[in-house]
Amino acid sequence: MTHHQELSVTDLFREYFEEKFTSLDIEMDDEISLYENIKALCQKHGKSFIEKCNLALRYAYDTKYGNWDEVNDLRKLYISDWCTPIKKYFENVTQLNTLIDIGCNDGRELKDILGDNFSKPKITLIDISRKAINRLQQSVVTGTLK
């Protein structure tokens, strides 16, 4: 049996800076969120630093979620249970509803949540990971995401 290993977006964010911007001081406070750390770093380094943070976040999310690894995904281990607590909120969606899924990855989680209702609402899917979006687009083209 393969052991589950969860990558940290914060660690991957740090890793990006260590590899790409070795001269920058990006000390982070482990007691606050990544969002709060990024705000503090942008205050320290100025507005132009925000683009470096965007690149680091994209790297972190591409690395963590961009290549779907079902072996290391707890949702794969609990296929029918992971989304049960939220399914009830989506039981009555219709064509009149509009959903926005921020952090959609390749759309499979929303498909699990909506089940047979997946094709009913208008859905906008957003993700920072270009790799995940490319997989999403490919699944739409091939008809595997319906």
Side-chain angles (χ1 to χ4, degrees):
M1 183 171 163
T2 304
H3 177 63
H4 173 76
Q5 178 182 357
E6 188 71 26
L7 298 171
S8 161
V9 169
T10 301
D11 289 344
L12 291 166
F13 180 87
R14 280 188 182 118
E15 179 182 294
Y16 181 86
F17 275 98
E18 289 169 4
E19 290 177 8
K20 301 288 184 187
F21 303 106
T22 54
S23 64
L24 281 175
D25 172 22
I26 63 146
E27 283 189 38
M28 295 173 62
D29 183 348
D30 291 330
E31 301 298 317
I32 61 175
S33 70
L34 179 57
Y35 171 76
E36 291 297 326
N37 272 296
I38 290 171
K39 276 181 35 180
L41 289 167
C42 288
Q43 287 174 348
K44 179 179 179 180
H45 294 286
K47 284 188 176 185
S48 64
F49 188 74
I50 219 160
E51 182 57 31
K52 289 178 177 74
C53 289
N54 185 34
L55 293 171
L57 283 172
R58 177 158 289 137
Y59 166 81
Y61 280 90
D62 270 347
T63 302
K64 181 169 180 162
Y65 300 109
N67 297 309
W68 192 277
D69 181 354
E70 293 183 347
V71 171
N72 287 325
D73 183 14
L74 290 175
R75 289 165 290 213
K76 184 66 174 179
L77 297 174
Y78 304 100
I79 294 170
S80 62
D81 294 336
W82 79 265
C83 61
T84 300
I86 38 183
K87 276 187 166 189
K88 65 181 177 186
Y89 297 105
F90 298 92
E91 289 173 347
N92 299 315
V93 295
T94 70
Q95 292 85 359
L96 299 176
N97 297 114
T98 300
L99 300 178
I100 301 174
D101 184 356
I102 300 172
C104 69
N105 199 294
D106 63 2
R108 73 178 74 194
E109 294 97 342
L110 187 59
K111 190 170 190 299
D112 287 347
I113 293 167
L114 292 176
D116 292 337
N117 288 332
F118 187 73
S119 61
K120 289 184 180 176
K122 177 181 177 189
I123 302 172
T124 300
L125 302 168
I126 301 170
D127 202 284
I128 193 171
S129 170
R130 287 189 174 137
K131 290 180 181 180
I133 292 297
N134 287 340
R135 272 196 338 276
L136 171 63
Q137 290 171 333
Q138 188 60 36
S139 67
V140 169
V141 168
T142 61
T144 56
L145 182 69
K146 291 182 181 180

